[in-house]
Amino acid sequence: MRLGNGSATQQERIPHLRPGVDPAGLSLTPAEGYLLSRIDGTTPWTLLRSIGGIGPDEVDRCLERWVAEGVVTVVVSAAAPGAAAVLDSSHARSGDTDPSLDIPVEVQLRILDFEARLESPYHEILGVARDADRKILRKAYFALSRELHPDRFFRRNTGSFGKRLERIFGKIVEAYELLSDPTARAEIERSLAAAGGSTPSAETVQPAETAQPAEAAAEAAQQKPAAGPRVPRRPHVFSLHSRVLRDRKARAKRFFEAGMASHAAGRWVEAAGSVRLAIAFDPWNAIYKEHFVAVQRRAQDERAQRLLKEAESALELRDFKVALRAFDDAIQLRPHDAELLHRAAKLAWMTGGDLRQAKEWAMAAVEIDPKQGGHHRLLGQVYQAAGLEANARRELEAALALDASDEEARTALREIGGRPLGLRWLGGKR
Amino acid sequence: MSRVIGIDLGTTNSCVAVVDNGQPVVIPNTGGYKTTPSMFALADDGKRLVGHLAKRQAITNARNTVYASKRLIGRRFDSPEVRRALELCPYEIVEGPNEDPRIRLGEKVFTCPEIAGIILREMKRVAQEHLGEPVREAVITVPAHFNDAQRQCTKDAGKIAGLEVLRIINEPTAAALAYGFGRKPSDETVLVYDLGGGTFDVSILEMGDGVLEVLATAGDTFLGGEDFDRRVVNHLLETFEAAEGIDLRSEPMALQRLKDAAEKAKCDLSQSLQTEVNLPFIASDANGPRHLSVVLSREKLEEIVADIVDRTMETVKLCLSDAGISQQDVDQVILVGGQTRMPLVQERVADFFGKRPHKGVNPDEVVAIGAAIQAEALLSEDQKLVLLDVTPLSLGIATYGGHFAKLIERNTTLPVRRAHVFTTTRDNQTAVKIRVLQGESDTAEENDLLGEFILSGIREARKGEPEIEVSFDIDTNGIVSVSARDLATGREQSITVNATGTLSDEEIQKIIDDNELYEIQFKE
């Protein structure tokens, strides 16, 4: 059960991209990229969990990671949007139920649980076996309708649950209609099989966590042979679905082709953008995903180069702010480039920029390349500027230990009144 | 909590019901009738008359008596239905400021929701007098093929009558609810054939386990019992002209008398094989007064309306095909609407399905009873009944080249949300106009325009590049809302569709205030 401590709130938790973060700079799987592209500052966490193409649990994991990494902040929208407050990741799952609503809390839990499973295969949504016949489907559909149709809570104070119920019910209808249609069902069966699912006859027991209406479960347990073939019900329903699907695939293909053209021309950023769109329209296409990973790496390099060039020319113009921003962006793309981190930290320190940021970068450089005395020296200098003398002394001494000829470090150390290590060695008897 | 009623707001007659101690009952009006004519008149002395009182004086006051205004509600003044009414109705229809048809009675011009509101208020009064307590809430029925505008206007009418409309439901669905009430739960496929005064609907439903699911619904806007009457009127007019050389078509009073007589003859012929129409002093010329006297046989009647009945069976076939079933799959056929009393209709239905239609529901009352059952079900704590209704007409938007892109197909279960991505048609186009349409034609213009809005601020790009996602929502009340979003900028525009002919809140309040005035006059 994914529910939190049940604290009462009607607030929606809405992930925002932290300003200044360039999504293209992160190293993401296509599914994660797709998820990131859906973070628009208005879509709540709960809805992101059901965007499709990426499972709800995976969504939770990614979002929590991004919150921890500072890529994403979560804003709680209260009744008044002005009263937004930033939460840290430890509250990620609290506050979904609300005892003040006219829905019993256990029903709220059931609704939330159901909502969390909306991307499951259709038969699991209905809580029936994969080879359930039409009669069982209908029974399950009716039972779920009685339980979760929005009219069940007509005129009651349902808070955010009203919208949830509409979405849930829409999905139940979709599941029932597609599974009732032999053509659609065959296609669903094919895609399940392709995804590595067992054949339906092998799967007779439902996964334990799949809550299902009691009658439907009982019915499923004593399945009768499927009823004789029946004229397909509402054929246009499926034709609409498949038309939309076809359309999306065609679009995906167009984007992919554009992406490949850019790829051939060496325009990696453009290529990555196109392929990402292709994946957004056809999230199940393995070829697109594979290409995306390759293209994205090249795209990041290309972008980083471009940013460094930008930084250089800004430095020439002595526009340190712009240069720093370009460095910052480049670091997002190449977080493990110690030299880059060093340059950025040095610039920030020397131009009176954000010392905290300078410290982060310098520390990262030290971490990546601890044998490089210069990184320690810079970190020491940054500490010194920040008035953290003990830390400064430690780093400067480390710098001198690695490179005794580092006069800059020696001077700095002298400034803060520490005895330079080298001096002691030189002067010591031993 | 006050009682909630179900109202069948019919083209010719209206009916009100309530669930009393768990049993749905029809409420008779003060005259003891279970249905009330959907008529409204402004008398010479300025008095407002509703129902039987209006009908009684219709002949002498034809120009100021409104009937069948349901045919006009929610339509545009230039629609074919309104044009046809212009030719046929003795009362004056004028164009309102929202391109809606309005009705002029004496000095005053009434909107269609206002007329419907006056009739609903009368039904509310009937219920209040019977129950001895105030009534504030109702479920109101409409023909299944009513579009969003017609439904919203009906809701407005409820407001004007001082009723909160819990839900607008489809007439055939209501009939099925009444049929299913109190039956032991068994799975059944039911077809409702609803031939009312001015409308024809077919719905196919599956029921069982406390759930009523509408599989498909189809309707014919141009068809109803009044078309039968009109055929009879024409027959009488022609017979009279042939015999006397006088054309009565330009005589409103004569037409109204003919209309009444035709309706009565039609009803008589459901019981007997022959009837006589006698209308003395119907006209006069230099040779003195003329009388109309025509003998009409059932055979003759069936001959002049046979093609209308044939047309209803075409709609039945369409509905079966939409539901994906054949006539053998239908377990029960329910006949609704006064016109289904006609033996010819019953025979044709029985022949087609190979079984006799269900007896035991009163075709005039069943719809109101179903509405009352739905009202009760919505408000009860332990909901024993859930209705899964569908949208009767496809919804979509107009696209380049005057095409209609359907986003929600007809007969989709409610509530529903569908989205689709569209793009621009010109380079550097920064705005698109979203025209929301309802109907079945592939050509945009041939469908009903529900509303339009503009999505602007699209980033400049080559044509075909921007991605604009348009999504449609229809809630369980059948109310449509549409939003459009530029996927690149996230910019969004949305509307709750406010159709032509619907009234603003101020307009509604003004009408309510006006009517309060008359309410006081009544009691003087």
Side-chain angles (χ1 to χ4, degrees):
Chain A
M1 185 67 56
R2 53 168 221 97
L3 296 154
N5 51 24
S7 77
T9 170
Q10 276 173 278
Q11 296 159 334
E12 289 258 47
R13 297 177 313 115
I14 297 167
H16 287 243
L17 273 188
R18 195 185 278 274
V21 170
D22 181 0
L26 303 170
S27 161
L28 304 173
T29 68
E32 291 167 343
Y34 177 60
L35 172 62
L36 197 68
S37 74
R38 301 287 110 161
I39 297 178
D40 53 7
T42 56
T43 310
W45 190 306
T46 46
L47 272 179
L48 288 169
R49 301 181 89 247
S50 50
I51 55 172
I54 173 166
D57 289 344
E58 191 61 26
V59 169
D60 284 349
R61 262 199 299 283
C62 281
L63 288 177
E64 276 158 26
R65 198 183 76 222
W66 290 335
V67 169
E69 289 174 355
V71 173
V72 165
T73 55
V74 175
V75 173
V76 175
S77 78
V86 177
L87 272 193
D88 70 46
S89 59
S90 65
H91 293 286
R93 284 177 173 183
S94 66
D96 283 335
T97 61
D98 182 352
S100 75
L101 298 178
D102 279 350
I103 306 179
V105 171
E106 66 269 19
V107 178
Q108 293 182 29
L109 291 176
R110 163 81 168 130
I111 291 167
L112 289 167
D113 183 47
F114 205 99
E115 189 182 36
R117 294 187 291 107
L118 286 188
E119 292 310 310
S120 313
Y122 287 127
H123 67 274
E124 285 181 20
I125 289 173
L126 292 184
V128 298
R130 209 157 128 188
D131 57 352
D133 66 21
R134 195 182 175 280
K135 207 178 152 198
I136 292 167
L137 286 177
R138 189 163 162 278
K139 195 141 185 138
Y141 172 55
F142 277 16
L144 286 170
S145 298
R146 270 202 312 280
E147 191 192 352
L148 295 169
H149 191 281
D151 274 359
R152 275 277 284 114
F153 308 97
F154 185 78
R155 274 231 177 138
R156 301 201 203 169
N157 177 12
T158 55
S160 69
F161 284 83
K163 279 280 158 211
R164 288 177 209 271
L165 283 164
E166 295 212 343
R167 268 167 25 77
I168 288 173
F169 185 71
K171 200 73 183 186
I172 291 169
V173 171
E174 183 182 324
Y176 173 61
E177 291 188 343
L178 293 182
L179 290 179
S180 300
D181 180 317
T183 327
R185 189 159 181 175
E187 195 160 302
I188 291 165
E189 196 48 56
R190 266 198 301 280
S191 69
L192 280 179
S198 51
T199 57
S201 52
E203 187 186 301
T204 48
V205 185
Q206 285 298 299
E209 71 273 16
T210 310
Q212 50 180 305
E215 301 107 298
E219 187 80 27
Q222 42 163 312
Q223 264 181 44
K224 293 164 202 111
R230 192 181 164 124
V231 188
R233 211 170 137 269
R234 291 190 229 170
H236 56 266
V237 172
F238 179 65
S239 71
L240 177 73
H241 282 261
S242 66
R243 198 161 66 228
V244 170
L245 212 67
R246 257 205 318 277
D247 211 68
R248 290 184 77 90
K249 288 197 166 177
R251 273 170 171 282
K253 190 156 174 277
R254 280 211 303 281
F255 281 121
F256 182 69
E257 283 163 0
M260 287 300 98
S262 311
H263 181 287
R267 294 193 304 270
W268 304 108
V269 175
E270 222 175 275
S274 296
V275 178
R276 190 168 58 82
L277 274 173
I279 292 170
F281 277 98
D282 187 3
W284 294 277
N285 192 312
I287 299 171
Y288 297 171
K289 291 183 185 175
E290 206 173 283
H291 273 87
F292 183 73
V293 175
V295 173
Q296 200 196 23
R297 201 169 303 132
R298 305 289 296 262
Q300 287 176 3
D301 274 348
E302 187 189 327
R303 272 188 67 89
Q305 300 284 2
R306 215 185 284 167
L307 286 164
L308 285 178
K309 235 182 247 162
E310 207 178 302
E312 299 293 351
S313 43
L315 280 176
E316 266 171 38
L317 296 166
R318 307 195 63 77
D319 190 344
F320 301 125
K321 252 193 189 148
V322 170
L324 268 176
R325 206 179 308 132
F327 273 134
D328 188 1
D329 289 348
I331 287 169
Q332 304 290 342
L333 295 166
R334 286 197 198 162
H336 304 294
D337 186 336
E339 205 205 326
L340 175 60
L341 286 161
H342 185 101
R343 291 190 62 183
K346 190 167 178 181
L347 181 67
W349 163 58
M350 289 181 59
T351 59
D354 182 356
L355 280 178
R356 198 188 51 81
Q357 181 69 72
K359 184 205 75 178
E360 296 285 328
W361 285 334
M363 264 173 94
V366 166
E367 221 167 274
I368 292 159
D369 196 356
K371 294 268 175 276
Q372 183 59 249
H375 297 336
H376 287 282
R377 185 226 309 135
L378 180 62
L379 182 56
Q381 287 166 321
V382 173
Y383 277 138
Q384 186 186 0
L388 298 163
E389 297 200 342
N391 286 343
R393 188 174 299 123
R394 189 187 66 231
E395 293 303 324
L396 291 168
E397 283 175 355
L400 283 169
L402 286 165
D403 177 9
S405 67
D406 187 341
E407 287 305 322
E408 208 182 330
R410 201 181 306 279
T411 315
L413 193 56
R414 203 174 294 128
E415 269 171 23
I416 52 173
R419 277 191 306 147
L421 276 176
L423 270 183
R424 195 170 58 188
W425 282 345
L426 289 171
K429 297 252 163 91
R430 282 227 168 194
Chain B
M1 201 176 88
S2 67
R3 305 286 284 274
V4 34
I5 53 176
I7 302 176
D8 170 9
L9 177 62
T11 310
T12 39
N13 290 298
S14 294
C15 182
V16 57
V18 70
V19 176
D20 209 359
N21 290 324
Q23 277 303 316
V25 288
V26 172
I27 302 174
N29 63 24
T30 20
Y33 297 100
K34 289 190 169 181
T35 63
T36 302
S38 304
M39 291 174 92
F40 169 65
L42 199 62
D44 288 342
D45 57 0
K47 267 196 184 136
R48 293 181 168 199
L49 305 170
V50 192
H52 288 285
L53 290 177
K55 187 171 188 177
R56 216 165 286 152
Q57 53 86 65
I59 290 176
T60 53
N61 187 23
R63 277 193 69 77
N64 285 326
T65 302
V66 185
Y67 63 88
S69 67
K70 187 176 174 181
R71 290 193 153 185
L72 306 175
I73 198 167
R75 296 195 187 280
R76 296 168 69 90
F77 187 76
D78 56 10
S79 66
E81 292 88 346
V82 174
R83 223 170 297 141
R84 192 162 83 161
L86 277 171
E87 285 169 22
L88 294 163
C89 291
Y91 51 85
E92 189 184 355
I93 304 171
V94 297
E95 184 169 1
N98 305 329
E99 295 170 41
D100 56 326
R102 298 193 176 184
I103 295 159
R104 188 200 301 276
L105 299 178
E107 294 297 300
K108 189 168 159 38
V109 175
F110 292 83
T111 65
C112 291
E114 195 173 353
I115 304 272
I118 289 166
I119 291 157
L120 286 173
R121 179 186 287 268
E122 173 70 8
M123 301 319 288
K124 176 176 128 175
R125 195 187 58 78
V126 166
Q128 282 178 341
E129 275 182 16
H130 179 85
L131 296 169
E133 57 180 297
V135 171
R136 292 190 193 89
E137 298 167 325
V139 168
I140 301 173
T141 61
V142 295
H145 62 260
F146 254 26
N147 68 20
D148 189 67
Q150 293 168 302
R151 282 163 203 265
Q152 295 218 29
C153 284
T154 306
K155 265 195 125 163
D156 288 350
K159 274 189 219 157
I160 290 169
L163 286 168
E164 189 183 335
V165 182
L166 294 185
R167 177 77 36 106
I168 299 281
I169 65 169
N170 296 329
E171 286 158 9
T173 308
L177 276 166
Y179 163 81
F181 183 84
R183 268 169 198 278
K184 64 177 191 321
S186 66
D187 295 354
E188 261 189 313
T189 303
V190 175
L191 181 138
V192 180
Y193 177 104
D194 179 0
L195 187 54
T199 58
F200 175 61
D201 281 329
V202 183
S203 284
I204 298 170
L205 304 96
E206 276 196 326
M207 47 210 296
D209 276 355
V211 179
L212 200 70
E213 189 202 10
V214 182
L215 293 186
T217 189
D220 190 332
T221 333
F222 285 97
L223 216 149
E226 294 202 342
D227 294 288
F228 290 63
D229 297 353
R230 199 145 36 234
R231 290 286 173 89
V232 177
V233 169
N234 272 335
H235 174 72
L236 296 176
L237 281 170
E238 282 160 17
T239 314
F240 186 74
E241 194 175 1
E244 305 286 342
I246 297 174
D247 182 5
L248 295 172
R249 284 182 182 83
S250 51
E251 306 287 328
M253 274 170 62
L255 275 178
Q256 189 61 43
R257 283 179 77 184
L258 275 169
K259 190 185 164 320
D260 287 346
E263 187 188 343
K264 187 172 173 298
K266 179 187 79 177
C267 293
D268 286 349
L269 288 176
S270 292
Q271 309 296 326
S272 49
L273 293 172
Q274 192 166 304
T275 189
E276 200 176 347
V277 180
N278 272 313
L279 295 170
F281 303 101
I282 188 89
S284 65
D285 63 6
N287 303 327
R290 300 296 173 88
H291 316 299
L292 179 146
S293 176
V294 178
V295 172
L296 193 63
S297 68
R298 183 186 286 179
E299 204 181 348
K300 183 69 193 171
L301 173 69
E302 290 181 352
E303 181 196 314
I304 61 179
V305 300
D307 62 308
I308 304 181
V309 180
D310 286 345
R311 249 170 75 197
T312 67
M313 297 317 290
E314 290 310 308
T315 307
V316 169
K317 286 178 199 158
L318 172 74
C319 194
L320 283 168
S321 124
D322 269 1
I325 63 173
S326 65
Q327 64 251 57
Q328 289 85 22
D329 295 323
V330 174
D331 298 312
Q332 200 62 255
V333 181
I334 303 167
L335 298 181
V336 182
Q339 190 59 53
T340 61
R341 289 210 171 85
M342 186 181 195
L344 177 69
V345 171
Q346 294 181 6
E347 278 160 31
R348 294 298 275 277
V349 171
D351 285 352
F352 182 77
F353 287 99
K355 56 170 77 86
R356 305 298 310 172
H358 175 76
K359 301 260 175 201
V361 298
N362 181 323
D364 296 326
E365 301 167 4
V366 66
V367 171
I369 286 174
I373 292 169
Q374 173 66 2
E376 183 78 4
L378 281 174
L379 293 180
S380 72
E381 281 299 313
D382 55 329
Q383 293 206 342
K384 293 200 186 88
L385 180 87
V386 171
L387 177 60
L388 307 177
D389 216 336
V390 298
T391 177
L393 298 162
S394 300
L395 266 167
I397 62 175
T399 60
Y400 189 62
H403 297 295
F404 177 43
K406 290 178 187 172
L407 286 181
I408 298 177
E409 297 266 343
R410 70 167 186 271
N411 292 327
T412 304
T413 305
L414 300 181
V416 60
R417 179 192 172 84
R418 291 276 156 78
H420 209 331
V421 179
F422 293 88
T423 191
T424 52
T425 55
R426 289 194 316 274
D427 286 344
N428 299 327
Q429 184 178 345
T430 56
V432 289
K433 192 182 209 181
I434 312 278
R435 290 164 53 83
V436 182
L437 303 169
Q438 191 167 37
E440 305 310 322
S441 170
D442 287 332
T443 308
E445 245 180 57
E446 290 171 8
N447 296 297
D448 291 329
L449 176 69
L450 293 186
E452 52 193 9
F453 64 102
I454 286 169
L455 176 72
S456 57
I458 299 168
R459 79 185 155 83
E460 290 193 6
R462 268 174 293 173
K463 65 179 178 189
E465 275 184 0
E467 312 243 303
I468 298 147
E469 186 181 71
V470 180
S471 55
F472 267 46
D473 274 284
I474 311 181
D475 67 12
T476 39
N477 282 309
I479 300 301
V480 177
S481 53
V482 185
S483 66
R485 194 159 77 105
D486 179 354
L487 289 181
T489 63
R491 188 184 281 258
E492 189 164 331
Q493 284 288 329
S494 57
I495 52 163
T496 296
V497 173
N498 216 348
T500 0
T502 57
L503 302 171
S504 69
D505 287 346
E506 296 87 68
E507 284 176 291
I508 289 172
Q509 194 51 52
K510 191 179 170 301
I511 291 169
I512 292 173
D513 295 346
D514 269 12
N515 285 335
E516 294 299 336
L517 223 68
Y518 282 97
E519 197 96 317
I520 293 161
Q521 286 187 356
F522 279 139
K523 284 170 188 156
E524 272 169 2

